[in-house]
Amino acid sequence: MVNIDVFILFLNAFLTTLISSIIVVIILRRKYLPAIRKMEQEQEKSRQQPESERSGTQ
Amino acid sequence: MTTTIFFVVLIFYVVAGGLVARLVKNKSDFYVMGEKGSTLLIVGTLGATYLSAVTLLGIAGQSYAEGPLVIAALGSFGAWIGTLIAVVYIGRKMKALGCTTMPDFFEMRFKNKKVSIIALVIMIVGLLGYGVIQLIGAGLVLSQVTGISFPLMIVLFTLALLVFCALGGMYGVVVTDTIMLFTMLAISCLIAPLLIGQAGFDNMKALSETIPFYWTIGGAEQRPLGWSISQFLVWILFFSCTPALVSRVFPAKNDFVILKAAVIGVFLAPFMQVIVFLAAGGMQVIQPGIETTDNVMIIGFMNHVPEALGGLGLAGLMASIMSTASTLFVLTGFALARDLYEHLFDKKLSEKRSLRVGRYAQVLVAVVVCVIAIMQPAAIYWISIYAGAIFGVGWLPTVVGGLEWKRMNSQAAIGSMLAGTTAFIVVDELVRRAVITLPIHIDSLMVAFAVGVLTLFIIGFSTRPSAHEQAFYKKMKQTSMSAITIKDFASRPNGLAQLKKEYKQTMIISISFVFIAALIWGYFLMMLGF
C-alpha cells in the first residue's frame, strides 16, 4: 500500500514542473503561434506578389 | 584538507568573477548584463540564488531530526510555486515594462516620491537583513569546519563578493552563479544519491519503526496539518515577490529565455532540495544521534563519501552561501546607487560616472555587511526575523494591485505597504511575547498580508488614480514580453525562421521536462512510497 504522505511529496515535486510546463505551453500557443502563422501568411503573400508582378510584365 | 578546499574554491570563484568583470563596458552591462542573458545563464543564476545555505544546513537538519517530509512536502512546494510566480508572472511583466530593478516599477507606475522611498526602505532592510543573517549563520558553521576564524572568514567572503559585485555587477553575479550552480548540482546528482545509496531505501523506510511518524508530513514532532498548510502559503508569499528571484529575469535576452528558464529553473528547485532532504533522512540510518543537526550534511560530506566528493560538497555549500549573498548584496547596491542616488535625488550622471557610482555603492554595501556580520549587533537578529518575508507583506499586494487593478494609486500603495509591514511586526511581536495566540494554521505573515490587501482595497475604492497612473495602466496593459519578442524577431533578417526555431525549442523543453520529472519523482516514489 502506498504511503500517502510520501506520495504527496513526490506528487508536489512533479506538479511543480507540470504546472510550469503547462503555463509555458499555453503562452506559446496563445501568443506566439498566431504571430508565427500571421508572419507565414505575410511571407507567403509577399512571395506570391513578385511572382504575379513577374508574370504581368513578361 | 577542508581549509585547502575552502581557499582553492574561493580563489576559483574570485578569478572567474574577476575575468567576467572585463566584459562590463557600460551601465546596462553593470545592471542587467546588457540584457544578453542566455538560457544557461538565467537558469544558472535562478537555481543558484534559489538554493541557499538554509536548505543545506537548517532544513536538512530538520529533515534529519523530524523526517524529510516535514518541510519538503508542503512548505517547499509553496516555495517552488512562489518561484514560478516570481519568474513567469511578476518578473516577466516587469521586464516587459523596461524595469532594470524592482523599485523601477514603483517609480514608473506611481511617479510618487513617498511610494518610491517606502519601497526602497523595504528593499534595503529586506535584502540586507536576510543576507547578513544568512552569511553569519553559514559563516559560523563553515568556520567551525575549516578552523578558519569567523572574522577572517567573513572578510574573505566580503572580498570575494566585492569582486563579483563591484567589478562585475550583474554580469559578475550571473556568471559566477552559473558556475556555482554546477557545484551545487554535484550535491544533488552525486553526493546526496551516494548517501542515500549507503543508507539503503529499505533501511530508510524502516526508520518509521524506530522514530514513529518519521515518514509523515507531521514528522516525528507530529506537527498538525494546519501548520504544514500555513507553511505552504507562507512560502508562496515569501518567494513570489522577493527581488532576489524576480530580478533574475531582467538580464534575459528575450521571452523565450525566460520561459525556458521558468521550466528548467522551477524543475531544479525541487530537484536540488528534495534529494538533499532525503539524503539527510539517510544520514539518520548512517549516523544516528547527531546533536548539532544543522551540520548533518557537512558530516555526511566529510565522513561518509570519498574525500574528493566531500570536498566538492563543501564547495557546493560555499557556493550556496556566496551565490545567494552576492545576489542580495548586488541588488542592495543597485538600490542605493540607481534608485536612491540617481532617481530619487534626481542626479543626471554620465554613463561613466553612473557606472562609478554603482561600483562605489557596492563597496559601501560590502563594508556595511562585513562590519555587521563581524560585530553581530543584537538588532540584526531582530531585523532578520522580519527581513526575509517583508516583501510578501510590504510589496506583494502593491505589485499585484499595480499590475492588475485600474483603480490602483499611490495612496493605496503607501497605505498597503505601511499597514502590511506594521501589522507583520506588531502581530508577530505580540505572538512572540505571548500576548496573543494565533490558531496553529494561521501565521502572522498571513494576517499581515490580509491587512495589506484590505487596506489596499479600502483606500483604492475611496480615492482616485492620478492622470499618470491611469495613462500608465493603459500603456502597461498594451505591453507584453511576447509582443516585444515577436517584434524583435520580426525585425531581423530571417526572423520568422528564428522565431519558429525558438518556439519549437521551448515547446520541446517544456514537454521533455514533464517526462524527466515524472521519471525522477516516480522512481523515488517507487523506492520510498510502497
Side-chain angles (χ1 to χ4, degrees):
Chain A
M1 216 177 82
V2 66
N3 176 336
I4 294 294
D5 293 41
V6 172
F7 176 75
I8 290 173
L9 166 68
F10 296 121
L11 176 73
N12 287 346
F14 171 69
L15 275 181
T16 307
T17 305
L18 185 69
I19 295 168
S20 67
S21 294
I22 289 175
I23 291 172
V24 169
V25 168
I26 290 173
I27 293 170
L28 287 174
R29 292 192 67 88
R30 283 213 185 143
K31 304 283 178 184
Y32 288 95
L33 196 57
I36 289 172
R37 292 219 171 113
K38 198 175 153 203
M39 282 165 79
E40 275 175 338
Q41 279 172 356
E42 278 167 11
Q43 206 175 52
E44 191 62 29
K45 225 185 268 175
S46 62
R47 209 177 286 153
Q48 280 170 353
Q49 230 167 15
E51 267 173 30
S52 63
E53 274 168 20
R54 262 204 310 273
S55 61
T57 52
Q58 277 173 354
Chain B
M1 169 70 180
T2 49
T3 320
T4 316
I5 294 165
F6 176 83
F7 280 109
V8 169
V9 171
L10 200 67
I11 290 167
F12 175 73
Y13 290 149
V14 168
V15 170
L19 287 174
V20 172
R22 293 162 60 189
L23 299 169
V24 179
K25 304 270 187 254
N26 54 42
K27 203 171 142 182
S28 167
D29 288 342
F30 190 72
Y31 286 109
V32 280
M33 61 177 295
E35 294 188 80
K36 293 176 204 144
S38 62
T39 307
L40 175 71
L41 290 175
I42 302 302
V43 168
T45 189
L46 185 65
T49 304
Y50 175 84
L51 193 86
S52 69
V54 175
T55 293
L56 293 171
L57 301 174
I59 310 180
Q62 200 172 357
S63 301
Y64 170 83
E66 294 181 43
L69 310 185
V70 176
I71 297 289
L74 288 173
S76 298
F77 183 42
W80 308 330
I81 298 295
T83 305
L84 180 63
I85 297 171
V87 175
V88 136
Y89 174 55
I90 297 179
R92 202 163 157 260
K93 284 221 171 193
M94 284 190 179
K95 183 171 167 67
L97 293 170
C99 298
T100 302
T101 61
M102 276 183 87
D104 270 357
F105 173 74
F106 296 93
E107 173 82 19
M108 286 180 197
R109 178 70 175 90
F110 303 108
K111 273 224 177 313
N112 181 299
K113 286 225 166 180
K114 277 186 201 158
V115 174
S116 301
I117 290 170
I118 297 168
L120 212 58
V121 170
I122 290 176
M123 171 121 173
I124 292 171
V125 171
L127 292 180
L128 268 187
Y130 187 56
V132 172
I133 208 71
Q134 278 213 36
L135 196 62
I136 292 174
L140 281 170
V141 173
L142 219 51
S143 136
Q144 210 181 3
V145 174
T146 57
I148 299 169
S149 75
F150 176 73
L152 178 63
M153 170 90 54
I154 294 297
V155 170
L156 290 172
F157 265 136
T158 315
L159 287 174
L161 292 175
L162 254 181
V163 175
F164 308 161
C165 303
L167 296 180
M170 188 62 94
Y171 237 122
V173 170
V174 168
V175 174
T176 48
D177 270 4
T178 307
I179 298 169
M180 289 178 196
L181 178 76
F182 286 101
T183 348
M184 294 182 219
L185 280 175
I187 297 179
S188 307
C189 295
L190 286 172
I191 304 165
L194 214 65
L195 289 172
I196 295 171
Q198 246 183 76
F201 285 116
D202 287 336
N203 294 332
M204 282 170 70
K205 276 194 286 186
L207 281 171
S208 53
E209 289 162 22
T210 47
I211 310 169
F213 304 102
Y214 197 73
W215 285 102
T216 63
I217 291 175
E221 301 268 319
Q222 295 184 60
R223 292 173 189 269
L225 186 63
W227 180 83
S228 303
I229 294 170
S230 86
Q231 286 297 301
F232 169 70
L233 296 171
V234 162
W235 285 99
I236 291 186
L237 295 180
F238 188 109
F239 272 76
S240 53
C241 204
T242 183
L245 293 176
V246 173
S247 65
R248 300 304 78 204
V249 166
F250 300 155
K253 202 164 30 179
N254 56 43
D255 198 22
F256 291 113
V257 169
I258 302 174
L259 297 177
K260 283 184 256 182
V263 173
I264 307 171
V266 170
F267 161 80
L268 284 180
F271 181 76
M272 291 193 298
Q273 279 193 303
V274 172
I275 300 181
V276 168
F277 300 153
L278 293 177
M283 281 296 291
Q284 190 65 258
V285 174
I286 301 169
Q287 190 176 333
I290 296 171
E291 281 183 8
T292 324
T293 53
D294 277 1
N295 289 1
V296 68
M297 288 311 288
I298 298 179
I299 294 171
F301 298 157
M302 294 295 119
N303 303 339
H304 301 288
V305 292
E307 214 172 3
L309 282 184
L312 200 59
L314 198 65
L317 173 64
M318 281 173 65
S320 73
I321 302 165
M322 290 172 80
S323 59
T324 307
S326 64
T327 300
L328 295 173
F329 299 143
V330 86
L331 294 176
T332 315
F334 288 178
L336 285 178
R338 198 171 172 281
D339 304 309
L340 183 70
Y341 187 74
E342 284 193 51
H343 288 174
L344 274 176
F345 294 164
D346 223 4
K347 300 277 180 195
K348 298 273 175 278
L349 302 180
S350 67
E351 185 81 17
K352 222 174 169 179
R353 187 149 162 67
S354 172
L355 191 57
R356 210 178 309 146
V357 169
R359 287 189 163 137
Y360 289 156
Q362 298 298 333
V363 176
L364 177 70
V365 171
V367 172
V368 171
V369 164
C370 192
V371 171
I372 299 176
I374 292 174
M375 306 279 289
Q376 294 179 41
I380 191 67
Y381 288 99
W382 186 80
I383 291 171
S384 74
I385 300 169
Y386 304 105
I390 205 169
F391 299 105
V393 290
W395 274 15
L396 189 58
T398 298
V399 167
V400 177
L403 288 170
E404 304 297 342
W405 199 28
K406 209 174 173 178
R407 290 191 71 99
M408 186 63 194
N409 59 59
S410 54
Q411 290 104 305
I414 293 169
S416 171
M417 286 195 283
L418 290 179
T421 317
T422 314
F424 183 35
I425 297 170
V426 171
V427 174
D428 206 77
E429 282 298 313
L430 291 175
V431 172
R432 212 174 288 279
R433 288 157 205 249
V435 178
I436 57 167
T437 318
L438 291 177
I440 193 78
H441 54 279
I442 301 281
D443 188 278
S444 49
L445 191 76
M446 288 149 76
V447 177
F449 180 73
V451 170
V453 172
L454 204 68
T455 312
L456 185 135
F457 278 124
I458 293 170
I459 303 178
F461 277 119
S462 50
T463 50
R464 288 182 64 80
S466 67
H468 164 79
E469 286 159 349
Q470 283 174 350
F472 190 84
Y473 177 83
K474 215 173 152 187
K475 186 186 150 202
M476 192 172 65
K477 286 291 158 192
Q478 289 160 351
T479 313
S480 76
M481 223 24 239
S482 53
I484 294 168
T485 302
I486 291 166
K487 200 174 157 199
D488 169 40
F489 275 83
S491 67
R492 297 181 197 176
N494 207 17
L496 177 60
Q498 287 178 39
L499 189 66
K500 280 163 85 172
K501 191 181 152 201
E502 286 285 354
Y503 175 88
K504 206 171 149 188
Q505 220 177 60
T506 314
M507 188 68 92
I508 291 171
I509 286 175
S510 304
I511 297 166
S512 311
F513 270 86
V514 174
F515 286 104
I516 295 171
L519 267 177
I520 293 172
W521 304 125
Y523 169 75
F524 279 111
L525 176 65
M526 295 300 289
M527 293 296 133
L528 290 165
F530 291 93

